[in-house]
Amino acid sequence: MKKISFLILIFLMFSILSGSSPKAISNSYPIKFGVLLYKEKDDYIKLIKNELLKIESKNKGIIEITIYDANNNQELQNSQIEKLLSDNVDVILLNLVDVTKSKEVIEKIKEKDIPVIFFNREPSSLNWIESYKKSIYLGTEACESGNIQGEIILRELRKNDIKDKNDNKILDIILLSGEVNNIEAQLRSECVIRTLNNNGINTNLIAEEHCNWERECAEEKIQKLFSEYGEDIELIISNNDSMAIGALKALQKYGYNIGNSEKYIPIVGVDGLEEAKQLINKGELTGTVIQDSEATVRALYRIGINFVEGRSPLENTEYNYDVTGVGVRIPYNGYIIRN
């Protein structure tokens, strides 16, 4: 009996000193991932979900993934968080609905001492993530996608595939933005315009429409704007592919972007959706920046496992923290452009 008690004591001491939970040391499987999506209807979030299910399928018996869709409702997501906490999941992957609510969410999760990885939708401040050692943010460097969109546009300008139709020496642009308070949307917009300006391109923003990443909104807005500005529109820049596709559908109602080179308005997006790639191959869309959903989910999985097994989040990975010390940025994977 004394020998058994001594072994238990040694085990507990090792658990405390190593920062590992007894569950991790005893290899208790499956590891339970709780995933909270802000809106499953979002085309890019669909890619994330599909990649997560692939990871689960490849690791049967090792991980178990439960996915909730908040349908863009923070109150609903709050209740889903409560459910995951009561179910004692091992790690939470959180695609936050309201990016201003990280404080309240962190405080709730911290009470249960469960690791949480915020991803894709960057909180308006990372200070609250910094306050909880079992939390991290995984996203992209949003300005990078804007810079790459700028490269696409500059390349098209050099080929004379984007034309100064009214000879005013200014590129007249419509900008389709994501949400008003979304950091990713803000930086994508700012950085694409800055890239153009820094390369000697004068720009004029005919209109900026916040369409919350949705193609239906973009189609409606572009249809109205085309009826007002028509030929004065020389370029449409979209923060994502879904809105770019919506813009395309609107233009096609007016006979644009269906094969006649004289009736073509360039449209550039972000994400690398399969639908967008097909439309680029057909010459209807101009280009897209590829956001790597597979690499994002791979990082979520590896960092999540590290958290659960009591290791440093980035241990034995190629990832590095950004300047905040709590954010990890997955690079964009280049771009696709029409021939």
Side-chain angles (χ1 to χ4, degrees):
M1 179 64 72
K2 288 182 179 179
K3 184 176 181 181
I4 293 172
S5 299
F6 178 74
L7 289 173
I8 292 172
L9 177 62
I10 292 295
F11 173 76
L12 292 173
M13 287 176 64
F14 178 78
S15 299
I16 294 168
L17 289 172
S18 67
S20 300
S21 66
K23 174 172 183 174
I25 293 172
S26 63
N27 291 321
S28 178
Y29 296 110
I31 293 171
K32 293 190 288 185
F33 279 69
V35 180
L36 298 157
L37 304 178
Y38 99 98
K39 185 171 66 174
E40 195 176 317
K41 285 174 62 179
D42 182 297
D43 290 324
Y44 182 73
I45 296 303
K46 286 178 188 175
L47 295 181
I48 293 290
K49 179 184 176 182
N50 290 339
E51 292 297 333
L52 283 166
L53 293 176
K54 287 180 188 177
I55 288 275
E56 182 183 40
S57 178
K58 291 176 183 175
N59 294 276
K60 285 183 177 177
I62 298 174
I63 65 169
E64 178 182 288
I65 297 178
T66 301
I67 299 176
Y68 288 106
D69 173 21
N71 198 26
N72 208 27
N73 183 323
Q74 186 60 53
E75 288 188 10
L76 175 57
Q77 189 169 77
N78 290 343
S79 68
Q80 293 167 346
I81 291 170
E82 293 283 0
K83 180 70 169 65
L84 289 179
L85 294 177
S86 67
D87 289 344
N88 291 313
V89 295
D90 297 300
V91 60
I92 293 173
L93 310 182
L94 179 52
N95 184 219
L96 192 62
V97 173
D98 185 342
V99 295
T100 68
K101 298 298 182 183
S102 58
K103 174 181 181 291
E104 294 86 343
V105 169
I106 284 281
E107 288 177 343
K108 179 61 66 176
I109 296 173
K110 191 174 182 180
E111 290 174 6
K112 285 282 192 172
D113 198 35
I114 293 174
V116 56
I117 306 173
F118 290 77
F119 73 96
N120 176 254
R121 292 170 63 82
E122 184 168 348
S124 53
S125 170
L126 296 183
N127 291 342
W128 294 104
I129 293 178
E130 191 175 359
S131 73
Y132 179 39
K133 66 179 181 179
K134 291 187 177 181
S135 66
I136 196 171
Y137 171 70
L138 179 75
T140 59
E141 187 61 65
C143 197
E144 182 188 3
S145 63
N147 292 339
I148 298 173
Q149 278 190 316
E151 291 176 24
I152 293 172
I153 295 163
L154 290 168
R155 177 173 165 173
E156 290 294 281
L157 284 166
R158 285 192 291 268
K159 291 163 53 183
N160 202 34
D161 285 341
I162 299 177
K163 298 178 173 62
D164 182 10
K165 298 176 184 177
N166 53 16
D167 295 318
N168 64 355
K169 309 301 181 185
I170 297 173
L171 190 57
D172 295 305
I173 298 168
I174 291 176
L175 181 62
L176 294 170
S177 298
E179 297 153 334
V180 174
N181 63 350
N182 186 284
I183 295 171
E184 190 94 9
Q186 293 167 1
L187 289 176
R188 287 181 185 184
S189 299
E190 291 172 11
C191 293
V192 63
I193 298 299
R194 186 184 307 138
T195 297
L196 295 174
N197 294 159
N198 288 346
N199 281 272
I201 307 301
N202 296 319
T203 55
N204 171 45
L205 209 57
I206 294 174
E208 179 176 6
E209 299 288 353
H210 293 278
C211 272
N212 301 324
W213 314 109
E214 298 173 355
R215 69 174 67 192
E216 296 81 8
C217 170
E219 182 174 351
E220 178 185 336
K221 296 293 186 182
I222 293 301
Q223 193 167 335
K224 290 180 180 177
L225 288 167
F226 187 89
S227 66
E228 183 175 353
Y229 295 102
E231 277 293 314
D232 287 335
I233 303 168
E234 295 169 340
L235 172 66
I236 297 173
I237 300 173
S238 175
N239 281 171
N240 75 345
D241 282 345
S242 294
M243 294 187 295
I245 294 167
L248 173 64
K249 299 306 179 189
L251 293 182
Q252 289 179 332
K253 292 177 182 178
Y254 293 97
Y256 276 70
N257 295 39
I258 56 175
N260 182 348
S261 61
E262 297 300 315
K263 298 182 73 175
Y264 185 85
I265 296 175
I267 307 171
V268 180
V270 176
D271 278 341
L273 298 181
E274 188 59 37
E275 183 179 1
K277 292 176 185 178
Q278 292 172 8
L279 292 167
I280 291 166
N281 288 335
K282 291 166 66 177
E284 296 175 12
L285 285 180
T286 304
T288 183
V289 181
I290 301 173
Q291 186 171 194
D292 197 335
S293 57
E294 183 179 352
T296 296
V297 169
R298 186 165 57 247
L300 288 170
Y301 173 68
R302 295 175 68 188
I303 294 170
I305 292 292
N306 274 346
F307 265 131
V308 173
E309 296 189 343
R311 295 191 290 265
S312 171
L314 306 188
E315 188 173 328
N316 297 323
T317 73
E318 66 273 26
Y319 313 123
N320 297 296
Y321 287 114
D322 63 12
V323 293
T324 69
V326 294
V328 174
R329 310 288 171 171
I330 303 299
Y332 287 88
N333 194 18
Y335 63 83
I336 297 173
I337 193 168
R338 69 180 184 137
N339 292 327

